[in-house]
Amino acid sequence: MSAQLDRAQPRWDADAMRVPDLTEVMAIERQAYPVPWTHGNFVDSVAAGYPAEVLRGPRAALLGYWVAMPGVDEMHLLNITVA
């Protein structure tokens, strides 16, 4: 029974994006887009307090990330990328 419970647990973890995450984020960003965001774009977004998260899988591998900007009664998704 415990083996079934282990498989039912998520194999990923979402955390707030931090500047130390940006080396990994930039590696994915450069592979995903012909005109990627710059490191500075991410630093500015995090410093501005925009909602941003990284998604990590087994062994803390970066699976993806997103950045959004709150508006009046809405949220603008600025960047969402999956490795």
Side-chain angles (χ1 to χ4, degrees):
M1 184 72 162
S2 66
Q4 287 179 329
L5 292 176
D6 290 343
R7 281 182 282 177
Q9 297 299 316
R11 296 186 176 195
W12 49 268
D13 187 31
D15 289 310
M17 184 183 289
R18 299 173 299 119
V19 171
D21 296 316
L22 296 185
T23 299
E24 292 174 281
V25 167
M26 288 306 302
I28 293 171
E29 183 76 6
R30 288 184 186 115
Q31 289 181 348
Y33 300 106
V35 182
W37 273 26
T38 66
H39 185 270
N41 292 137
F42 285 103
V43 170
D44 290 347
S45 296
V46 170
Y50 288 174
E53 291 186 346
V54 293
L55 182 66
R56 295 193 177 274
R59 296 175 296 282
L62 186 63
L63 303 175
Y65 51 89
W66 62 268
V67 180
M69 182 178 66
V72 177
D73 295 328
E74 61 189 20
M75 185 74 71
H76 297 273
L77 186 56
L78 301 176
N79 188 321
I80 183 167
T81 307
V82 177

